[in-house]
Each structure stands twice: as C-alpha cells, then as structure tokens.
Amino acid sequence: MTAMTQSIVIQVGQCGNQIGCRFWDLCLHEHAFYNEKGIYDDAVSSFFRNTDHACDIPTKIGTNQIKNLKARAILVDMEEGVINELLDGDLGEIFDNKQLITDVSGSGNNWATGNKEYGTRYKEKILDQVRKAAELCDCLQCFFVLHSMGGGTGSGLGTAILSLLADEFPDVYRFVIPVYPSGDDDVITSPYNSVLATNELTEHADCVLPINNQSLINMCAKIQQALPQKKFSKSAGGSVSSGSKRIGSDKPFDQMNNIVANVMLNMTSSARFEGSLNVDLNEIAMNLVPYPKLHYLVSSISPLYVSKDVGLYARRLDQAFNDLFSKDHQLMVSDPQRSLYLACALMVRGKNVQVSDVRHNISRLSSNLCFVNWNHEGWKTGLCNIPPVGQQYSLLALANNTCIRHAFTDLRTRFSKLYSRKAHLHHYEKVDGFDRNLFSESLSSLDNIVAQYEELEHKSGSGTPQCLPRIKVL
Amino acid sequence: MACVTVQLGQCGTQLGHHLLSSLHDDAKHSSSIVSSNANEEYTNASLSTFFQEARSGQHEARSVMIDMEAKAVNCALQGTSGKGWSYPKEGQFCQKSGSGNNWSYGYKVHAPQCREPIMDMVQHEVEKCDHFGGFLVLSSLAGGTGSGLGSYITGSLRDAFPHASILNPVVCPYTEGEVAVQSYNALLSLAHTCDTADASILLHNDHVHRICEKLLGIKHVSFNDVNGVVAKQLASLLQPVTFSSDGNLSMNFRNVLNEIVYTSACHGQYTMLDLKSIPHVAQASVAYSTFSWDSLIKRIYQMMITDFYMDEGLDWHRKLSVSSSYNTGRHPRYVSNLVVMRGKQALAPPESENPDFQNPVLYPAWIPASARCPIWKINRPFEKIEKSVALLSNGTSCVKPLDDVVSKAWQMYGARAYLHQYTKNAELFDAILAVLSWSKEGEAVIHS
C-alpha cells in the first residue's frame, strides 16, 4: 500500500512516444538520483509500479539493473518504427508487451483515420489495457495524454482515447499535452487535424497544456546560441529521430522533447516530493480553470534547460522570475504579458527558494501583468524542496491567459484557407463514421473559445473595472 | 484540564507542529526569574494540558493529525525526533488524494467518508484525558482539506462533545493568493464554522510575514518562520497564568480554552477574534534585549486603539477622546479584550501610568466595565523573553478582512467563475450572504 496517488501516461503517435520516451528517461533519472537507498517508495510509485517485491530501483541507467520497475504507461502508435526503436533502447525494459498497441499501416496524416477507424478498431484493446493499468494503481488520480495535433494517429487516435477515458474514468483527471504544428508545417492537412482534435480537447480534457513546435525550436536555438558550439553541434540536422540512448544525447528532437518532459516533471514534482507548500495535481485544474471549457494553460519554464548541463541560467533568482513571463520562455508562441490573465500557477522547485522570494516576485511582477478584474490575486503557488537533477532551482508557470486565442485564430486562418477550397475533404469523408458536419462543428467550437476569451478581455480591459454593486443586507 | 489539538490539512499540521513544539519548549525551559517550585508547577500545568506522559517518560502530544495527503504528516512525525516529545502512535489520519483546494470536495466527499475513523481517533484521544477541557482545531481557510473537512469535523466535534469548548485558530492566506479560489473556500468555511466553533482566532499570513521581515530581520522568510511566529503568539496566550483581574486562578485546574471562550466570545454572535503580541525578538538578540512594562503596555494599548498588528510603524498620534466615535473612523470598537502579561514582575509592575484598556469609548454601552478587558498575569516569562504581552480582541478588527474576502468572492461570483467546481452554487451564495450579514449586523450591534 502506498500513501500517494498515481498517474498513467498514455503516449500516442510518433511525437507522443518521443516525448514520452524523454519523460521516462528523465523521470527515472530524477528518482534514481534522489532515491539514494534504491528503495521503491511512494514518490517512485506515482509513475512506476514495482513488479517484484525485492523493492529496489536501479541507481544507474544503462546497466542491466532495470528489472523490477515498469512505467505506468501505455504506448500507442499505428506504425511500428518509433515504438520498436524505443523498446530496443535502454528504456525498453521499463515497458512490457502488455502495454503496447501498434499497427503497421499508419494513419496517413488523417484525423478521421486515427479517430474513427483506429478509434473503433482498437477501442476494446485500449480500454482493456487502461483498465489493467488502472487496477495496478492504488489510487489513480491523473491521466497524462501526450500526442501531436498535426498528424493522424496522435491527433485522431489520441483524442479518441481521451473521450474513452472521459466515459470510463470520469473521476480521474485528464491532462493533455498536445504539440501543435508550426505555421510552416509540411503536413498539408495539419490545420484540419488540429482543429478537429482541438474540438475533442475542449470537450473531454480537464486541462490542456498546448505546446507549440515553433517555440520549442526557438528555445533550442536560443540555448544553442548562448552555448559554446561543441555541446550542441549536432543538433542542426533536421532528420526525424526517435528513441534515445542517454541523457544529453545528440538527437535534435530529444532536445526539444526534453523541454516538454521537464514541464511534466516540474508540474508533478510537488505531488511526488515534499515541500512547504504542496500542490496536488487536482489543485491545478481547480485553481486555473474558472470556466469548464477555458482549460488551456500556457506553460513557461525558467531557467531554460534541456538536460543537466545544457541550458541557460539566469544570474539571479529575480531574473529567472522575469524570464518566466517573457515571450521567449513560453511553450506556446505567445505573449501573456500583453494579454489578460484569468489565473496563474507558479510552481517552484528548489531547497533555497522560500515563500518570501515568491511573495516578493509576485508583488514585483504583478504591476506588469494584467489579471481579470474578478481575480486580481489569481495566483496559485507551490513550493517543492527538491530541485531538478543538476539545477539549483526551477520555476514553472501555468497560465490561463487570453493570449491563447491568437494561436487559435492563426490556426483558424490556416484551416479556412484549405476549407474554403474544400481541399482534401474527400480523404476525410471516405472514412467510415466520419460525418462531414464535424468540420463545421469543430470550427464553431474553436470560434466559441476564441469569443469567450475575447469577451473576457473586452469586459476586463475597458480600463476601469466594472464593480458589481454589492448585495445589501437589509 | 486537558486540551486536544486537532491539526487539519497541510497548514494545520505544520502550524500545530510548531505550536506543540513551542508549548513544549516553553514548558521545559526553566526560568531563573521565578522559584524552582513555581517553574515546576508551570511545567506540570502546561504539559498536562497539551501532552500526556508516556511510559518512557517522553511526552506525547494530545493531538489528532488529519490530512488527505501523507507528506506533511510524515514530516511532522519525523520532526519530533530528539525533541523530547512525540505524537501518539495512532493519532494520524491520511488519505492518498488531497481535496484539490476545493472546499466542497473536502466537505462533501472526503468528510462523510472519513468522519467515522477520525471521530474514533478523537474519542480515543479524549478518553486518555483525566479532565477533558476542549479542542483546539487548527486549519487554514484557503485550501480544501483544512477548510472543507475542517468545518465538517468541527461540526461533528460539536455534536459529539456538546459541552467541550472549541477554539479554532484559522490561518488566513496571503491576500496575493496562495490559492486562486481562496475567497470562496474561506467564506464557505467561515460560514460553516461560525455556528459550531465557540470562537475562531483569525491569523493573517500577511501580517506575520511583515513581522518576520521587519521585526525579526529575516531576509528569506519561509513558512517555518511564519508558523514559528504564529505558534509563539498562540502559545503565549494558551500557557498557564496565575492571576486574573477578578481573582485567583489555580494553574492546574484551569480550563484555558473555556476561559478564553468565556472572556472573549461572550456574545454568541461575535466569535471572530484577533490576536496581537509583543515583543517579537530574533532568537539571537534575546539575550541583549530589555523591556519595561511601561513601554510594552503603552505599545500594546496603541496597537489596540489603532488596530495595528505590530509595534513598528504604529500611529502614535492617534488618541482616544470622549467625542471620537467609531463612525468617524477614528478607532475600532470591541466587545471584549483580553490582555495576557508574562514575565518579571508582571503581577505587580512598577508604578506606571497605565493606559485605560477599559475606556468606555472602545466598547458598546451594554458591556459592563468588569467584562471589558480582563488582564491575566504570571511572573514567569514566556521562553527566554523577559517580558511579553499578548492581546486577544473581539471587535471590529475582523470586519475589514472579512469584508475584503466577501468583496472578492462577490466579484468572482458575479463573473460566475469557478462555479462548476463547486457542487451547489446556491450554497456558495448562501455563504457569501451569511458572512456579509454577520459583518454588517456585527458592526450595527457593536455600535449600539
């Protein structure tokens, strides 16, 4: 019996699996580093299960010691390449065959294929695996679903899985970390896929942390610029890569994916490790989602780092707090400082960061940030004692900010370009179970979200806050 | 008379731990100012109230710790090693998943499920007391467990122990949010506890944080520092005294909670108390600090008539005059005050011009002079501080903070924000109304 809650990670498609792979690598590393005795404890149990009762965890990666730990993960891809490579790597041993779902034919960058065709065909198999994974948890609290939005498998099947989870496990929180394609994405149908998938996220997720490919690219470029050439030399190549051998490896996507993995680690750290102000995962949705559908959170991280020794370090803690709100550090191409905050979580890791540092910085930064008039103090703060491996401290902000609407508006423009010419529609329409109306439904759902954010901005941004007259007690 | 401490949620657990440490340290500290007999009597009186002697000779806190997550509880349990006291072996109740900062989750989901085992633990702890006096229920207002489960459990305690005194020290979060939905949680919690607890002491993180920075000179204030100060304030109120203004009190059989409730919450409608204390001295400079009763009394008096939480930055120009009234916004009004003086010569401070704590301007006419401001005294100092004073007031001090909370909740409610997270909207609205009507009615009656 453990005293903590557990989470299950469901990684779908090439992108989801690559991010997942980096996450498991870093997560294992983190626990191995802090778990000096190598004993299976509550903190480890949140993402790993122990398959035998000898209760030891490996203290080194790369040797043959990973025997007893299995990741609480389900790996789904409709191609075999990425997952096979993952299983062949060092991390292969933390997954077993019962937690894999693969096919050979791919989804052809078609959301309808992933969502309707594979979603129906693999429904029972997926549910069966999720149920089994859930049974192995003492107290299942969260699902983390990782996938891309532009392709077919991740966006289609990933969102199909999400709605299965919503039906079957209504009480378990559903966090989705989707990667949105950049504007110059080479998948021609990616705007379609993204819009269709976003509709599903709006309907079925509790919290979505959208990540933009472009910001990951920018961040890596920024780190690269600031570093001596040697450490980053090979990252310029553009080939698709997957699976990894070790931390700080040379593969280009690994650097980007590490950033996402770090967000996940930091976000869950306060639930796994001790601190003077704990943040349980269920508190995130509670504090950051004032209206059920406005659950898109822009994340930012500071300092920027991709691994233990590759990163940009702020000179002072205050500088790191500044960075957290600057444009360069957002995982979505957006500028929250120029938009309206509905609420913001500030999660701090590090032994030497105290509540006074957080208070001091909040009051310092608040004057530059615009909060909605009914939530001027809409902060949620957390303090975790344990920093990431190799760091002094690390800051993560999760912001419910109206700037997300710009990203959605851009997406809509790209969607309309295709849709107005009815381009590629027949690929979707020929898939069984796909209803043409889904396009217009998804589009109006997206418009609705944009409009809601706009309205909030409009109401709050008109200068003087409209004060609601107080009820009078007679 | 024994007192059972109920520590709820992360904040309650941490604060309770600091409080018990503080009580224990102070009780064990032997002062050269009073005789060894007096020291011993004090030690016994204090320890028998909050602790019981275990067979090992160690002291075991009369405590029940409840959190929906185990981490804070485990920290507290580990934190007693080598300190000479410990928690009772079976006095901790944890679940796996927290209340998610949601009052209704704590109150409606966790509480009904956990009520029975928790009340069994409490019952067990109460049965260990020879003379049971009451409960000290510690929690915060911001989160879900402390506020939600806390208000439910307080109600259950009231049902199961109708004659016990229940005193709730509650921690008000930093106004620049610790939790975005803290005003909702605080309101729901206050609306539910005001009917069941005998009195609540509102403790403000903002105030204590300033005290840490300004008076203790701490650059990087941590939650440990904040909790440490609050714990000392509470301990200096709760520790034994020998003399009250209306006669002798025997230390040993004193029911401290009962007396606090009796003196401070004399009117059933006013149960929100405010606690101030001086001096706050950094540990390192205690040895070099001297205090005179004259100056301490003058300062606490000034803090009382200006309603300010520390003795730095006080408005010394403000004076009470016969003509000044609350309505002109010049000074606060009180239903009652309680002054606790601890330290050298407290029983008979050298002649000085004592300010008039009972000044009729400060109180409504219906409060008899003798009930306005009792003074409790003891010659033995609190910890190593030669002289100290605490002031527990029941009056308009709580109106401003409550009003702020109501305003925020009302704005949020008007925008219909976060309502889907709470099960019943109507309930939230009722809570806003309840707290609002209290602070309004409260002002009205106080001014009569």
Side-chain angles (χ1 to χ4, degrees):
Chain A
M1 285 292 268
T2 54
M4 244 178 236
T5 57
Q6 291 86 38
S7 301
I8 294 175
V9 177
I10 301 178
Q11 41 199 70
V12 192
Q14 176 178 339
C15 170
N17 278 294
Q18 284 171 353
I19 292 175
C21 168
R22 299 314 311 142
F23 170 73
W24 291 111
D25 191 2
L26 294 176
C27 186
L28 201 56
H29 225 73
E30 187 168 287
H31 282 293
F33 185 83
Y34 287 113
N35 194 317
E36 284 161 3
K37 292 180 194 145
I39 291 171
Y40 181 78
D41 63 4
D42 285 348
V44 181
S45 81
S46 53
F47 280 113
F48 297 94
R49 64 196 166 86
N50 195 7
T51 50
D52 88 13
H53 297 283
C55 293
D56 53 335
I57 72 161
T59 44
K60 263 188 200 141
I61 289 184
T63 62
N64 285 333
Q65 293 178 36
I66 312 175
K67 283 176 195 144
N68 305 322
L69 282 188
K70 293 286 177 205
R72 298 186 193 277
I74 293 166
L75 283 55
V76 184
D77 202 356
M78 295 295 103
E79 291 167 39
E80 285 181 313
V82 175
I83 289 187
N84 282 345
E85 206 172 324
L86 211 163
L87 293 178
D88 289 341
D90 289 330
L91 279 174
E93 296 179 54
I94 64 168
F95 307 107
D96 64 33
N97 291 333
K98 291 174 203 143
Q99 53 198 92
L100 308 176
I101 294 169
T102 50
D103 199 303
V104 287
S105 42
S107 304
N109 290 329
N110 186 338
W111 182 88
T113 312
N115 192 275
K116 300 297 175 192
E117 190 181 326
Y118 290 127
T120 317
R121 190 184 308 163
Y122 286 99
K123 180 181 170 188
E124 286 310 319
K125 197 171 174 195
I126 290 166
L127 272 180
D128 189 49
Q129 288 204 6
V130 177
R131 281 195 203 107
K132 279 185 184 140
E135 276 163 22
L136 292 169
C137 295
D138 227 11
C139 177
L140 174 60
Q141 189 178 41
C142 287
F143 289 112
F144 284 91
V145 186
L146 313 176
H147 58 75
S148 73
M149 295 298 272
T153 306
S155 78
L157 189 52
T159 52
I161 293 174
L162 181 68
S163 84
L164 288 181
L165 297 178
D167 287 344
E168 291 284 314
F169 302 88
D171 297 330
V172 180
Y173 282 85
R174 295 173 301 278
F175 284 87
V176 183
I177 306 189
V179 178
Y180 279 82
S182 46
D184 53 1
D185 191 71
D186 49 8
V187 176
I188 193 111
T189 52
S190 76
Y192 282 162
N193 297 334
S194 304
V195 170
L196 290 163
T198 303
N199 179 30
E200 298 288 316
L201 298 186
T202 304
E203 292 300 318
H204 303 301
D206 286 304
C207 270
V208 179
L209 276 64
I211 310 271
N212 192 296
N213 229 351
Q214 192 59 48
S215 13
L216 296 179
I217 294 169
N218 296 349
M219 280 178 178
C220 285
K222 198 172 174 217
I223 296 171
Q224 186 182 12
Q225 261 180 6
L227 284 178
Q229 282 301 305
K230 259 198 299 185
K231 274 183 181 165
F232 228 79
S233 53
K234 290 190 188 167
S235 63
S239 67
V240 174
S241 119
S242 56
S244 92
K245 305 296 178 205
R246 67 201 144 79
I247 285 201
S249 69
D250 310 313
K251 309 230 165 115
F253 282 93
D254 283 357
Q255 307 273 11
M256 285 159 63
N257 293 338
N258 272 352
I259 295 177
V260 183
N262 286 330
V263 168
M264 272 175 84
L265 285 176
N266 288 356
M267 165 177 174
T268 56
S269 64
S270 190
R272 289 178 288 137
F273 300 111
E274 63 179 45
S276 57
L277 192 59
N278 295 333
V279 178
D280 203 8
L281 289 168
N282 54 7
E283 292 169 15
I284 293 175
M286 178 69 200
N287 283 286
L288 295 182
V289 183
Y291 304 104
K293 289 187 179 175
L294 302 188
H295 53 229
Y296 292 88
L297 310 178
V298 178
S299 45
S300 59
I301 201 161
S302 168
L304 276 184
Y305 60 96
V306 293
S307 67
K308 204 166 67 182
D309 38 33
V310 181
L312 285 180
Y313 302 101
R315 284 181 298 277
R316 288 170 16 250
L317 184 63
D318 284 6
Q319 184 61 43
F321 274 96
N322 288 349
D323 288 348
L324 202 54
F325 295 91
S326 79
K327 219 172 154 183
D328 295 342
H329 287 242
Q330 311 298 322
L331 272 79
M332 211 47 208
V333 179
S334 61
D335 192 1
Q337 278 201 63
R338 302 178 66 177
S339 295
L340 183 72
Y341 279 89
L342 305 186
C344 184
L346 200 53
M347 302 178 70
V348 182
R349 297 181 72 175
K351 203 162 185 61
N352 296 320
V353 188
Q354 299 295 358
V355 62
S356 55
D357 298 311
V358 176
R359 311 248 51 94
H360 155 74
N361 279 294
I362 283 183
S363 59
R364 197 172 57 86
L365 293 163
S366 283
S367 52
N368 294 326
L369 306 176
C370 184
F371 272 80
V372 67
N373 56 12
W374 42 262
N375 209 10
H376 277 299
E377 288 90 18
W379 295 92
K380 164 71 187 170
T381 46
L383 291 170
C384 174
N385 287 346
I386 311 286
V389 178
Q391 310 281 332
Q392 289 288 312
Y393 57 83
S394 165
L395 314 175
L396 170 73
L398 299 175
N400 196 335
N401 189 295
T402 55
C403 67
I404 191 85
R405 77 180 172 88
H406 301 297
F408 285 155
T409 312
D410 285 352
L411 178 60
R412 191 192 193 288
T413 314
R414 280 184 277 137
F415 176 94
S416 301
K417 261 186 204 159
L418 290 177
Y419 193 59
S420 60
R421 286 177 287 145
K422 307 260 183 276
H424 304 283
L425 282 188
H426 59 285
H427 295 302
Y428 290 78
E429 282 165 0
K430 72 178 183 210
V431 176
D432 263 354
F434 184 85
D435 180 353
R436 191 184 184 142
N437 289 331
L438 262 181
F439 275 107
S440 51
E441 272 171 32
S442 303
L443 194 61
S444 73
S445 153
L446 190 68
D447 286 341
N448 191 325
I449 298 281
V450 172
Q452 283 193 53
Y453 277 118
E454 250 167 358
E455 192 190 335
L456 285 164
E457 251 178 22
H458 183 71
K459 269 190 194 162
S460 202
S462 54
T464 50
Q466 307 157 322
C467 263
L468 202 62
R470 269 265 283 270
I471 29 172
K472 289 208 172 65
V473 179
L474 300 171
Chain B
M1 286 284 236
C3 156
V4 172
T5 308
V6 182
Q7 299 160 253
L8 281 148
Q10 180 174 23
C11 172
T13 301
Q14 289 171 342
L15 177 58
H17 183 74
H18 276 90
L19 175 61
L20 289 164
S21 295
S22 202
L23 290 166
H24 186 265
D25 288 354
D26 176 50
K28 283 286 190 178
H29 167 248
S30 83
S31 166
S32 58
I33 292 172
V34 293
S35 69
S36 59
N37 262 352
N39 263 322
E40 200 184 318
E41 200 190 345
Y42 181 93
T43 306
N44 289 339
S46 164
L47 291 182
S48 66
T49 306
F50 299 99
F51 298 83
Q52 68 155 348
E53 206 160 335
R55 276 190 213 101
S56 59
Q58 271 231 339
H59 285 92
E60 207 176 79
R62 300 184 192 279
S63 132
V64 177
M65 250 193 290
I66 303 153
D67 198 359
M68 297 296 103
E69 281 181 281
K71 278 178 292 182
V73 171
N74 290 336
C75 274
L77 290 176
Q78 285 157 15
T80 60
S81 77
K83 299 279 167 64
W85 65 281
S86 61
Y87 288 99
K89 277 210 177 61
E90 279 157 7
Q92 293 83 38
F93 182 86
C94 296
Q95 293 288 85
K96 286 157 197 155
S97 176
S99 308
N101 287 159
N102 187 338
W103 182 91
S104 24
Y105 201 78
Y107 193 89
K108 306 235 154 162
V109 180
H110 274 316
Q113 286 167 7
C114 308
R115 184 184 179 277
E116 232 169 89
I118 292 175
M119 291 307 285
D120 284 349
M121 265 179 208
V122 171
Q123 184 69 38
H124 185 68
E125 210 46 54
V126 169
E127 279 166 11
K128 288 190 205 161
C129 307
D130 289 336
H131 302 278
F132 170 66
F135 297 103
L136 192 64
V137 184
L138 300 154
S139 68
S140 90
L141 288 177
T145 303
S147 76
L149 184 66
S151 42
Y152 188 97
I153 292 296
T154 308
S156 305
L157 292 176
R158 175 48 77 228
D159 292 342
F161 303 90
H163 303 296
S165 298
I166 303 179
L167 183 64
N168 280 25
V170 290
V171 176
C172 307
Y174 288 97
T175 31
E176 291 258 287
E178 281 164 51
V179 170
V181 287
Q182 60 193 23
S183 29
Y184 280 167
N185 289 335
L187 278 191
L188 286 161
S189 172
L190 286 172
H192 279 79
T193 39
C194 70
D195 292 336
T196 48
D198 289 305
S200 307
I201 303 179
L202 302 182
L203 305 157
H204 302 276
N205 270 354
D206 277 322
H207 295 178
V208 180
H209 194 100
R210 295 281 293 164
I211 289 174
C212 289
E213 282 176 347
K214 287 269 164 193
L215 300 177
L216 302 181
I218 302 170
K219 275 208 184 108
H220 291 270
V221 182
S222 68
F223 270 107
N224 270 337
D225 300 322
V226 172
N227 286 330
V229 170
V230 177
K232 281 193 178 146
Q233 290 194 309
L234 284 171
S236 70
L237 173 70
L238 296 167
Q239 285 292 42
V241 292
T242 40
F243 182 82
S244 81
S245 57
D246 57 334
N248 280 305
L249 281 171
S250 160
M251 279 205 289
N252 286 320
F253 292 101
R254 184 173 167 255
N255 181 348
V256 59
L257 296 185
N258 213 353
E259 279 165 30
I260 291 174
V261 168
Y262 177 81
T263 42
S264 298
C266 49
H267 190 299
Q269 200 168 3
Y270 309 116
T271 55
M272 299 280 146
L273 311 179
D274 180 70
L275 181 60
K276 304 175 170 80
S277 76
I278 49 169
H280 297 279
V281 193
Q283 205 71 39
S285 50
V286 169
Y288 315 105
S289 309
T290 50
F291 302 99
S292 79
W293 282 120
D294 190 39
S295 116
L296 285 175
I297 293 291
K298 279 193 177 131
R299 279 191 268 163
I300 201 93
Y301 175 77
Q302 201 65 23
M303 285 161 71
M304 175 171 135
I305 65 169
T306 54
D307 190 19
F308 198 64
Y309 56 90
M310 62 177 175
D311 53 344
E312 165 114 9
L314 265 175
D315 176 4
W316 285 100
H317 297 296
R318 205 187 287 189
K319 297 272 184 278
L320 282 190
S321 67
V322 187
S323 61
S324 64
S325 72
Y326 177 80
N327 288 331
T328 57
R330 287 188 55 89
H331 65 81
R333 295 261 280 189
Y334 297 103
V335 175
S336 76
N337 278 297
L338 168 65
V339 172
V340 185
M341 295 164 63
R342 299 178 181 276
K344 203 173 174 183
Q345 297 176 310
L347 295 189
E351 214 43 54
S352 64
E353 252 185 88
N354 258 349
D356 185 7
F357 284 108
Q358 301 179 357
N359 191 329
V361 180
L362 289 168
Y363 303 88
W366 48 271
I367 306 276
S370 63
R372 285 175 193 157
C373 185
I375 299 180
W376 294 356
K377 299 170 178 179
I378 185 164
N379 271 347
R380 185 189 180 281
F382 179 73
E383 289 186 345
K384 287 178 186 152
I385 299 165
E386 192 192 51
K387 300 180 182 101
S388 61
V389 195
L391 171 70
L392 184 70
S393 353
N394 181 352
T396 48
S397 323
C398 71
V399 172
K400 174 91 174 46
L402 286 183
D403 201 54
D404 288 349
V405 175
V406 171
S407 291
K408 270 183 211 165
W410 183 239
Q411 289 299 329
M412 220 181 237
Y413 190 82
R416 314 208 60 76
Y418 296 105
L419 294 187
H420 67 289
Q421 313 266 23
Y422 293 86
T423 41
K424 271 198 205 156
N425 303 346
E427 198 161 63
L428 193 60
F429 189 71
D430 287 347
I432 296 180
L433 267 183
V435 175
L436 189 69
S437 64
W438 271 353
S439 57
K440 289 291 165 203
E441 278 173 46
E443 277 185 54
V445 182
I446 284 183
H447 296 156
S448 62

